[in-house]
Amino acid sequence: MTTARPAGDPRIPRSEHLVLTGVLTAEEAARTVVGILAVQREDGAIPWFRGHHLDPWDHVEAAMALDTAGEHEAAERAYLWLARHQLPDGSWYAAYADGDPDDVTDRGRETNFVAYIAVGVWHHYLATGDDTFLDRMWPAVCAAVEFVLELQQPGGQIGWRRDDDGTPATDALLTGSSSVHHALRCALAIAEQREEPQPGWELAVGALRHAIRRHPERFLDKDRYSMDWYYPVLGGALTGAEARERIDAGWERFVVPGLGVRCVVPNPWVTGGESAELALALWATGESDRALEVLQSIQHLRDAESGLYWTGYVFDDDAVWPRELTTWTAGSLLLAVAALGGHEPTCAVFGGEQLPKGMDPACCPDA
C-alpha cells in the first residue's frame, strides 16, 4: 500500500483548479488526493478501496483524478498496470480482487470498461505532453478499441459484454454505449496525434452516436437509472440545446435538492459518483452554476479524515450506505471540480469540442 502523505506535504501540488467554493479548500483537495494515493497499490492498481475489487473503468477514473492534481507518476503507473495485464483479445476482466491481476472475481469483459483506457490515456497525454507514454500505450488502446468494435451491432449500438466462454452479448446499454462513444472519440484524438488515421473507428463512432441520439429502442430499457438520463450528455453524443433539454426533462425526477442525485428512482438513495458525473455533464452544457450546486450538495458524503467520499446516502433512513469510501467517487468529484476550475486537459476531454467526431451515417434525418 502506498504510504499516505500528510495534507501539507509539498509534493502534493495545491492546484487552484481544485479549489471550489463550498466544495473543496486547498487542504481538502490535497487530502482527497492523499486518500486515493493511499489506496493505490505499488504495482499501480487502484481498487475501489483496499480489500475490495478493481474494475478497469473506475481504475481509470481514479487515475485521471490523480493527473488533475499533478500526480502524474502515480497516474502513469495505473495505466501501465492496464498495459501489463491486458488480455490477448485486447480486453480486461470486469473485476480483480483488491487489484490483484491473478485473482479475478468476474471473468466477463465489459465493453465500456475496456474502452475507457482511451479516455484516460488521452487525458494523461494532455496533462503531461509525454510522447513516449503515448507511444507505449498506443498498442493497448488499439487492441481495446478493436475488442469493443467487434461487439458493435448493425444498428450502431455496442453489445455490453463478452462472457468468459467467448459468447458476445448483443444487448446494449445506453450508459455503457455513451461511455464508449466518448472513449472512441478520445481514441481518434490519439490516432490523430500519432498521424495514424483510423477510418473504421470514425465510421463506428458516427454510427454509435446516431443510435444514441435517434434510436432509443436499440438499447435495453434502464430508464429508472440516472446514468441513462445524463450519460448521453456526458459522453458527448448529445450537445447544445438537445443536451440541455434532456437534462431539464429528468431534473425533478432524479435530483434531490441539497442531497444529490438518485442512483435509481424511486429509491431514496443519492450517490456521490452519479452526482459528480451529472455536474460534469452540466458543466459541458455551459451550466456551471447548477454544476456547482450539485457538487456542494454532496459534501455531506465527505469523510474528513480520509478525504474520500461515501458511495451513497439513504435519506429516508438518515444512513450512509454502503459503508464504503470509494476511490472512484472521490475521483469523479475531483474531475468535476477540475473542469469547473478550468483545468485544460480535463476541459478538453469532457468538453468535447476538441475531440474528433467521426463520420455520421446516412440514416434518418436529424430532428
Side-chain angles (χ1 to χ4, degrees), residues 233-263:
V233 178
L234 182 60
L238 300 184
T239 59
E242 194 174 21
R244 291 188 292 273
E245 289 170 5
R246 185 177 184 88
I247 294 297
D248 287 343
W251 189 266
E252 292 187 3
R253 188 175 182 220
F254 290 108
V255 176
V256 183
L259 291 178
V261 176
R262 294 177 192 260
C263 177

Side-chain angles (χ1 to χ4, degrees), residues 1-14:
M1 181 186 300
T2 303
T3 302
R5 305 173 189 173
D9 191 316
R11 290 174 292 175
I12 300 276
R14 296 181 179 277

Side-chain angles (χ1 to χ4, degrees), residues 89-132:
D89 65 0
S91 70
W92 293 271
Y93 292 121
Y96 301 81
D98 201 35
D100 182 350
D102 298 320
D103 191 357
V104 178
T105 55
D106 184 344
R107 304 186 73 87
R109 289 152 288 161
E110 299 189 17
T111 46
N112 69 306
F113 284 10
V114 174
Y116 211 59
I117 186 176
V119 181
V121 166
W122 185 236
H123 183 259
H124 184 77
Y125 176 73
L126 293 176
T128 63
D130 187 347
D131 289 306
T132 300

Side-chain angles (χ1 to χ4, degrees), residues 5-360:
R5 305 173 189 173
D9 191 316
R11 290 174 292 175
I12 300 276
R14 296 181 179 277
S15 304
E16 290 185 0
H17 56 261
L18 293 181
V19 176
L20 189 60
T21 301
V23 181
L24 290 177
T25 66
E27 289 290 331
E28 288 169 339
R31 176 57 63 189
T32 299
V33 176
V34 166
I36 296 173
L37 289 170
V39 176
Q40 187 176 32
R41 292 162 44 115
E42 291 295 336
D43 64 0
I46 310 177
W48 285 21
F49 52 89
R50 293 313 301 267
H52 204 277
H53 74 255
L54 172 152
D55 74 70
W57 199 101
D58 290 313
H59 168 84
V60 167
E61 184 171 53
M64 293 171 68
L66 292 177
D67 267 326
T68 67
E71 286 288 337
H72 303 312
E73 185 274 334
E76 181 173 350
R77 286 194 294 114
Y79 295 121
L80 294 180
W81 186 93
L82 290 172
R84 288 195 305 273
H85 302 300
Q86 190 170 32
L87 297 171
D89 65 0
S91 70
W92 293 271
Y93 292 121
Y96 301 81
D98 201 35
D100 182 350
D102 298 320
D103 191 357
V104 178
T105 55
D106 184 344
R107 304 186 73 87
R109 289 152 288 161
E110 299 189 17
T111 46
N112 69 306
F113 284 10
V114 174
Y116 211 59
I117 186 176
V119 181
V121 166
W122 185 236
H123 183 259
H124 184 77
Y125 176 73
L126 293 176
T128 63
D130 187 347
D131 289 306
T132 300
F133 168 81
L134 205 63
D135 292 342
R136 186 170 183 179
M137 295 302 298
W138 173 241
V141 171
C142 284
V145 169
E146 293 303 322
F147 170 85
V148 169
L149 293 185
E150 285 180 0
L151 277 79
Q152 187 165 33
Q153 304 303 302
Q157 71 275 26
I158 305 292
W160 78 278
R161 174 182 168 110
R162 188 181 289 278
D163 291 335
D164 189 37
D165 64 3
T167 302
T170 56
D171 290 333
L173 299 171
L174 181 59
T175 294
S177 285
S178 297
S179 178
V180 170
H181 174 266
H182 186 203
L184 290 177
R185 294 182 67 194
C186 289
L188 282 171
I190 297 169
E192 283 190 4
Q193 179 65 29
R194 292 179 51 80
E195 298 182 350
E196 297 194 32
Q198 302 292 329
W201 298 3
E202 293 186 26
L203 291 170
V205 74
L208 175 56
R209 180 170 54 254
H210 181 79
I212 293 168
R213 294 181 65 216
R214 296 288 173 256
H215 293 283
E217 75 280 0
R218 295 177 184 173
F219 300 92
L220 293 175
D221 183 5
K222 301 289 183 180
D223 182 63
R224 294 173 56 227
Y225 291 84
S226 61
M227 287 193 294
D228 263 29
W229 164 48
Y230 66 76
Y231 244 93
V233 178
L234 182 60
L238 300 184
T239 59
E242 194 174 21
R244 291 188 292 273
E245 289 170 5
R246 185 177 184 88
I247 294 297
D248 287 343
W251 189 266
E252 292 187 3
R253 188 175 182 220
F254 290 108
V255 176
V256 183
L259 291 178
V261 176
R262 294 177 192 260
C263 177
V264 55
V265 295
N267 298 3
W269 181 43
V270 294
T271 47
E274 277 82 351
S275 299
E277 288 180 340
L278 173 62
L280 259 178
L282 287 166
W283 168 83
T285 64
E287 294 202 56
S288 294
D289 289 344
R290 276 211 286 186
L292 175 59
E293 290 176 4
V294 171
L295 293 178
Q296 290 172 336
S297 75
I298 59 171
Q299 294 315 301
H300 63 98
L301 296 175
R302 182 178 178 84
D303 176 65
E305 182 178 355
S306 68
L308 298 176
Y309 287 75
W310 298 106
T311 299
Y313 172 73
V314 182
F315 49 86
D316 277 2
D317 298 333
D318 189 24
V320 168
W321 186 83
R323 299 290 297 183
E324 299 173 350
L325 293 166
T326 43
T327 52
W328 51 267
T329 300
S332 64
L333 179 120
L334 287 177
L335 286 167
V337 171
L340 284 166
H343 183 240
E344 290 185 6
T346 304
C347 293
V349 166
F350 288 100
E353 293 180 0
Q354 301 175 38
L355 294 176
K357 289 190 63 176
M359 298 179 64
D360 289 315

